[in-house]
Amino acid sequence: MDVIQIQDKTFETLITESEILSAIDVVAEKINNELDGKRPLFVCVLNGAFMFAADLMRRVKLECEISFLKVASYEGTSSTGRFKQLIGLNEDVKGRTVVLIEDIVDTGETMVMLKKQLYDMGVADVRMATLLFKPESCRKDVTPDYVGINLPKDFIVGYGLDYNGYGRNLTDIYTLINK
Ligand code: IMP
Ligand code: MG
């Protein structure tokens, strides 16, 4: 068990890199089976999902495209519930199957807002793939289509996820111990 310090907070190892990659193998296999022949557009939600997207896409064997969009709602260790769209999509998404790639679904606000926006843009089918899901914090009556690992409510960092911008480069995932 590794204990690390990021700014004023202390974290300990929760999920190792090999556990993360095994969970991604399972998600990729499900996507490969379910979306065969659909030519999906994968949309990585920046910043947090960049590592997951890279490891997931290496395992996706479908004919597909990948694009990126950027939204922000977090300040420190909690969601503000307000969104800033910082980078949008350039692709024509009408009639397509879009798979949103998220690092984590926490309150579910981001997932619901992005799904609605994509359906408003004429997408035929929006799916959500998330590495991590906190079912107890999710306020929305929706569940992601593809989930790597379910987690308790606690704040985590690493493997793309940050605390005030730091910790994204950690290869394992760490949980907050001094709250
Ligand atoms: P939402 O509350 O489901 O809308 O989550 C939105 C975003 O908050 C996620 O995509 C993450 O970028 C960020 N987030 C949620 N929980 C955590 C966490 O435990 N650590 C770091 N970022 C988080
Ligand atoms: Mg995110």
Side-chain angles (χ1 to χ4, degrees), residues 45-49 71 73-74 76-77 79 83 102-111 134 137-139 151 153-158 160-163 168:
V45 184
L46 296 172
N47 292 330
V71 291
S73 71
Y74 251 64
T77 61
S79 179
F83 293 97
E102 264 284 23
D103 48 357
I104 188 164
V105 173
D106 179 28
T107 63
E109 300 285 346
T110 311
M111 176 173 67
K134 294 180 184 168
S137 338
C138 197
R139 295 201 285 257
L151 290 181
K153 280 183 176 187
D154 312 316
F155 187 78
I156 54 164
V157 290
L161 293 119
D162 70 303
Y163 170 56
R168 294 194 197 276

Side-chain angles (χ1 to χ4, degrees), residues 60-168:
V60 167
K61 303 302 175 198
L62 306 169
E63 187 188 350
C64 63
E65 289 177 89
I66 178 156
S67 191
F68 300 85
L69 63 77
K70 182 165 181 172
V71 291
S73 71
Y74 251 64
E75 268 166 29
T77 61
S78 65
S79 179
T80 61
R82 295 183 305 275
F83 293 97
K84 282 187 277 189
Q85 178 117 351
L86 307 170
I87 299 176
L89 280 182
N90 302 315
E91 286 74 10
D92 183 9
V93 295
K94 276 200 192 65
R96 299 201 61 177
T97 297
V98 171
V99 183
L100 285 166
I101 305 177
E102 264 284 23
D103 48 357
I104 188 164
V105 173
D106 179 28
T107 63
E109 300 285 346
T110 311
M111 176 173 67
V112 166
M113 181 272 302
L114 289 176
K115 274 193 155 183
K116 183 183 178 305
Q117 270 189 21
L118 287 165
Y119 279 122
D120 288 349
M121 289 163 79
V123 173
D125 184 8
V126 184
R127 311 245 175 140
M128 167 68 68
T130 186
L131 177 63
L132 307 165
F133 181 41
K134 294 180 184 168
E136 295 160 31
S137 338
C138 197
R139 295 201 285 257
K140 298 285 176 173
D141 184 24
V142 281
T143 42
D145 303 275
Y146 308 104
V147 176
I149 301 167
N150 284 308
L151 290 181
K153 280 183 176 187
D154 312 316
F155 187 78
I156 54 164
V157 290
Y159 196 77
L161 293 119
D162 70 303
Y163 170 56
N164 282 338
Y166 290 89
R168 294 194 197 276

Side-chain angles (χ1 to χ4, degrees), residues 23-59:
I24 299 174
D25 285 339
V26 176
V27 170
E29 187 171 337
K30 209 172 163 200
I31 290 174
N32 284 330
N33 289 331
E34 284 186 19
L35 300 184
D36 192 20
K38 303 244 187 229
R39 290 202 304 120
L41 169 66
F42 288 88
V43 176
C44 169
V45 184
L46 296 172
N47 292 330
F50 77 101
M51 279 218 193
F52 173 45
D55 282 326
L56 178 66
M57 294 317 298
R58 276 189 260 258
R59 291 164 173 76

